[in-house]
Amino acid sequence: TKNALKSLFYQSNIFEDLSLEYLGPYDGHNIKELEKAFESAKKLEKSVVIHVRTKKGKGYKFAEEDKIGYWHGVGPFDIETGKSLNTTSNELISYSECISNHLEKEMENNKDIIAITPAMISGSKLNNIFNKFKDRAIDLGINEEHAVTFASGLSLNKKKPFLSIYSTFMQRSYDNLNNDLARMNLPLVVGVDRAGLSGEDGDTHLGIYDVEITKGLRNSVIAMPLDSNDAKNILNLALNSNKLFFIRYPKEN
């Protein structure tokens, strides 16, 4: 009876169907409204979901208008202009861009190479590849597990998948790497981005576990390039190795 009456006024949602209390949605930028929601939740005697809606970058024009993820994580910048204050030489590029540039050239010469990423197009500097190879570049959203199993399917169909993934997020896909690729001796090249300490990204993004996670996988190789030329050679080797091949590189230039 309760559910029937509620359905007259509210749409059913998955949380209530799971017998969880549901409050919201609330304006995540309204502090007073949020405080009331939290006070209400504290009075409940069961698990509760508080649904909060926020707008990324709210209050700062440049961040609000960002469509490609530039403001997802930034270093020092000028508040008035939004321009970076990074003093690094313009002649240097990030390792992510280095790998992406070499991958782009490999894809020009080999139509079997397919680039995959779990929602990290901008972070891993894959924009050019996604614009240039629309039928061979696939963003699978924040689904690292699915990305690996999807790559397994491509390998079974004689394609050469390249998966660009942040080191810290790769732990989510360990079971898939082990069962869907390593155990079956299937090839996949994994660009392990943000390997090692990653500074301002915070402790959630530290790439300090991927070696321990991957070194026990059968038929696999772990490599780390010294420079751009080394990265080119390692990528070429990886794509022709017929192995599960991990190429680690840091966030640095």
Side-chain angles (χ1 to χ4, degrees):
T1 303
K2 173 189 171 185
N3 288 338
L5 288 171
K6 286 184 70 174
S7 67
L8 294 174
F9 303 98
Y10 300 103
Q11 289 185 336
S12 176
N13 68 70
I14 189 172
F15 304 110
E16 292 191 337
D17 290 342
L18 293 170
S19 296
L20 297 170
E21 289 291 344
Y22 171 86
L23 301 177
Y26 295 103
D27 177 3
H29 302 290
N30 187 326
I31 302 300
K32 290 186 178 180
E33 188 174 311
L34 289 178
E35 287 177 346
K36 290 181 180 178
F38 295 138
E39 288 297 331
S40 297
K42 284 163 64 176
K43 297 175 183 177
L44 296 171
E45 298 296 325
K46 58 192 297 189
S47 297
V48 56
V49 173
I50 301 176
H51 185 177
V52 177
R53 287 178 175 169
T54 58
K55 182 176 182 180
K56 195 162 189 173
K58 184 174 176 64
Y60 188 59
K61 175 177 178 289
F62 298 105
E64 286 186 351
E65 296 175 354
D66 178 27
K67 301 297 182 184
I68 63 172
Y70 174 81
W71 289 92
H72 180 70
V74 295
F77 62 92
D78 184 281
I79 294 177
E80 296 297 325
T81 65
K83 292 183 178 180
S84 173
L85 296 178
N86 194 333
T87 58
T88 303
S89 170
N90 291 330
E91 296 178 0
L92 298 178
I93 62 173
S94 67
Y95 270 95
S96 301
E97 188 172 352
C98 167
I99 293 291
S100 181
N101 289 343
H102 291 314
L103 178 64
E104 183 179 343
K105 291 176 182 177
E106 293 282 353
M107 292 179 73
E108 289 174 352
N109 299 322
N110 189 334
K111 293 185 178 180
D112 284 334
I113 301 174
I114 298 176
I116 307 167
T117 182
M120 289 291 134
I121 296 176
S122 180
S124 292
K125 306 300 182 185
L126 297 169
N127 303 74
N128 286 344
I129 287 175
F130 270 75
N131 290 330
K132 191 172 184 178
F133 305 103
K134 296 185 183 298
D135 59 337
R136 289 193 285 135
I138 304 168
D139 182 358
L140 295 166
I142 306 176
N143 295 288
E144 289 83 359
E145 303 92 335
H146 171 54
V148 171
T149 301
F150 181 77
S152 170
L154 292 174
S155 289
L156 284 168
N157 284 276
K158 308 304 179 185
K159 299 300 181 183
K160 290 183 177 292
F162 176 94
L163 171 62
S164 180
I165 189 170
Y166 281 16
S167 167
T168 187
F169 299 144
M170 198 166 65
Q171 61 186 303
R172 300 172 182 169
S173 61
Y174 173 78
D175 187 53
N176 309 73
L177 286 167
N178 189 20
N179 283 301
D180 298 334
L181 283 150
R183 185 178 58 82
M184 297 167 65
N185 286 333
L186 292 176
L188 167 66
V189 181
V190 184
V192 187
D193 203 341
R194 306 300 199 270
L197 303 179
S198 53
E200 65 272 15
D201 281 342
D203 54 8
T204 61
H205 282 56
L206 295 181
I208 55 178
Y209 302 114
D210 62 270
V211 172
E212 292 300 317
I213 289 171
T214 57
K215 71 179 183 180
L217 297 173
R218 61 182 291 182
N219 195 40
S220 65
V221 176
I222 303 172
M224 195 162 184
L226 172 68
D227 52 28
S228 179
N229 189 57
D230 202 23
K232 175 184 177 181
N233 293 331
I234 288 176
L235 178 60
N236 181 269
L237 173 67
L239 289 168
N240 290 284
S241 69
N242 211 39
K243 289 179 177 291
L244 178 55
F245 208 112
F246 299 94
I247 306 176
R248 307 180 73 241
Y249 42 95
K251 186 180 179 181
E252 305 307 319
N253 292 326

